[in-house]
Amino acid sequence: MDMLAFETMPELPEVETIRRDLARRIVGKTIQHVEVLHAKSVGGRPDLFIKKLFRKKIVGIARRGKLMALELHDGNFVLVHLKMTGQLIYDDGKRVTTGGHPLPIDELPNTWTRVVITFSDKTRLFFNDLRLFGYLKIVDEAEKDRVFSEFGIEPGHASWDCDEFVKIVRRSSAPVKAILLDQKRIAGLGNIYVDEACFRAKVRPQRRGNSLRIVEAQALCKFSDRVIAESLKYRGTTFRHFRDSRGKKGNFSDKLRVYGRAGKRCVTCRSSEIEKIKLAGRGTHYCPNCQQ
DNA sequence: GAGAGTGTTGTAAC
DNA sequence: GGTTACAACACTCT
C-alpha cells in the first residue's frame, strides 16, 4: 500500500487505526525537512517548530484518547490532535491504481495541507486540516505524561474498569451523553460512538447519570467498550466522506445503528422512528421505543 | 443567498 | 467543585 488517507473525523478507533499504520511506516525515519503552511496548526511559531524537528528520528507513536504522540529520539514528543477535520496522510511515492478510484495523494499538498514533513528517504507525511482546529505541538516527556494523565478511563486500555465506570456515571447529574463525551472522565468516545453505545445499552442519552440503575450503567460500560473494539476491527467510521480515498472497503459506517438515522425506522424494534435532538450541544440520535 | 449544521475541546459563566 | 453554552474555523446542506 502506498499511502494512508483518512477522510474521517476521528474518534478513538480512527486515531488508533492511523497510529498503527503510521507506526509501521515512519518509526525509524529521520526528519529532513519541515514545511509549515499555516502557523496556527503548530501553535503560531513555525520557526521554533521546524527547528525542534530538524534531523530528529521518530522512535515510536503513542496514543491516549484521541491524542497521538510521535516520540522523537531526543526525548521530545509531537502531540497530534486531529479534532474535527484533521488528516495524516503518508506518501512513500509508490502508486497503486487498483479500484479505479482517484488518488487524492497525487494532489497533495492541497488547499487544506497545513504541514509537510519530509523524511531523509524522501517519503512525506502531510497534515491536512480544513477547519484548523487540529494541531501539532512539541512537548517534553514530562508534559506529554501530564497531558496523558488527564484522560479518564478508556476502552481497550489498562484503565478500563466497569466498576469505576459505573461509579463515574452514577455520581453525576449531567446527561449520560455529556458524561461519555467528557474525555477527563471517559476517554476516546466521540459523538458517534456515544450514540451507538447508548442505543446498544438501551439507555436514553438524555438520562441523568445519577438516575441510572446499576445494571443500566453496566450495560453502558459493556457496549461502550464493545462498539469501540468492533469499530477498530473495521478500521473506524467514515461518516460524511463515505468512501475512503483508497477505495478501500471495510469501515464501520455500515454498522452504525442510530447515528445519522434520524427519521428512519429503528433497526431493533422496526416500529419507531429514530429521533434526533440536540443534547450537550451535539446532534443526538436515539430510539424512543427501545431506549428508556 | 442566508442560516443551520458538522465527527472536538478549551474556556468562561452560572 | 460540576454543569452548560459557546467560540475557534471553513466548509456543505437546506
Side-chain angles (χ1 to χ4, degrees):
Chain A
M1 195 47 71
D2 60 328
M3 61 178 174
L4 297 173
F6 295 85
E7 292 186 9
T8 178
M9 300 164 199
E11 303 182 32
L12 189 161
E14 293 75 36
V15 178
E16 176 62 10
T17 297
I18 293 169
R19 190 200 68 78
R20 289 179 183 180
D21 286 343
L22 280 184
R24 281 192 292 122
R25 291 157 202 264
I26 68 171
V27 168
K29 294 191 189 295
T30 299
I31 295 169
Q32 185 183 63
H33 183 73
V34 179
E35 193 177 1
V36 176
L37 301 168
H38 199 105
K40 181 174 189 274
S41 300
V42 298
R45 289 295 302 272
D47 50 337
L48 295 181
F49 181 80
I50 290 166
K51 193 174 175 183
K52 286 178 183 170
L53 284 185
F54 185 58
R55 289 188 175 154
K56 299 300 188 300
K57 185 199 266 191
I58 295 180
V59 297
I61 311 183
R63 179 192 58 76
R64 188 76 163 85
K66 306 167 193 172
L67 184 66
M68 248 182 301
L70 313 186
E71 183 178 3
L72 306 176
H73 79 273
D74 66 356
N76 286 335
F77 291 79
V78 186
L79 301 184
V80 182
H81 205 305
L82 302 174
K83 292 287 181 86
M84 305 275 277
T85 56
Q87 305 177 329
L88 280 178
I89 298 180
Y90 177 69
D91 176 20
D92 67 4
K94 296 177 194 159
R95 290 293 179 270
V96 176
T97 54
T98 52
H101 293 290
L103 292 175
I105 199 161
D106 287 333
E107 290 149 29
L108 291 177
N110 64 22
T111 310
W112 305 285
T113 301
R114 311 306 185 184
V115 181
V116 184
I117 294 174
T118 304
F119 298 104
S120 57
D121 63 0
K122 303 300 177 196
T123 64
R124 294 179 296 175
L125 183 64
F126 296 93
F127 176 69
N128 300 331
D129 186 24
L130 184 151
R131 287 176 75 176
L132 293 170
F133 292 168
Y135 61 81
L136 275 58
K137 182 183 183 184
I138 300 170
V139 298
D140 61 22
E141 183 163 25
E143 176 65 4
K144 186 270 290 180
D145 288 343
R146 191 191 65 75
V147 171
F148 270 29
S149 73
E150 291 190 348
F151 285 95
I153 61 172
E154 175 176 328
H157 186 262
S159 60
W160 193 249
D161 178 326
C162 275
D163 289 339
E164 182 62 20
F165 182 102
V166 169
K167 282 185 208 160
I168 291 167
V169 170
R170 294 183 82 233
R171 72 174 168 233
S172 168
S173 65
V176 162
K177 175 99 185 192
I179 301 168
L180 297 194
L181 283 174
D182 180 359
Q183 304 296 303
K184 288 183 164 55
R185 284 183 280 195
I186 315 285
L189 301 187
N191 203 35
I192 293 177
Y193 297 122
V194 168
D195 282 7
E196 293 297 318
C198 286
F199 180 80
R200 287 160 169 77
K202 301 189 186 299
V203 173
R204 290 197 190 194
Q206 58 270 59
R207 285 275 297 284
R208 303 273 153 180
N210 56 15
S211 80
L212 293 196
R213 289 178 288 127
I214 290 174
V215 287
E216 291 176 314
Q218 286 170 333
L220 213 43
C221 179
K222 180 174 84 173
F223 287 107
S224 294
D225 187 52
R226 189 175 291 181
V227 78
I228 291 295
E230 204 183 327
S231 178
L232 191 49
K233 205 169 67 184
Y234 288 94
R235 299 175 59 82
T237 304
T238 303
F239 184 65
R240 292 182 75 101
H241 309 89
F242 207 72
R243 186 185 54 62
D244 93 10
S245 42
R246 287 179 285 187
K248 184 180 171 306
K249 284 185 272 182
N251 74 50
F252 197 67
S253 314
D254 307 333
K255 312 284 177 188
L256 296 178
R257 296 186 196 168
V258 270
Y259 189 88
R261 301 196 70 254
K264 295 183 176 170
R265 218 167 278 286
C266 171
V267 296
T268 301
C269 68
R270 298 182 185 284
S271 58
S272 291
E273 289 182 358
I274 299 302
E275 288 194 8
K276 183 176 180 184
I277 59 171
K278 188 155 188 166
L279 183 59
R282 321 291 291 279
T284 300
H285 314 70
Y286 70 99
C287 173
N289 184 38
C290 296
Q291 292 170 261
Q292 303 305 316

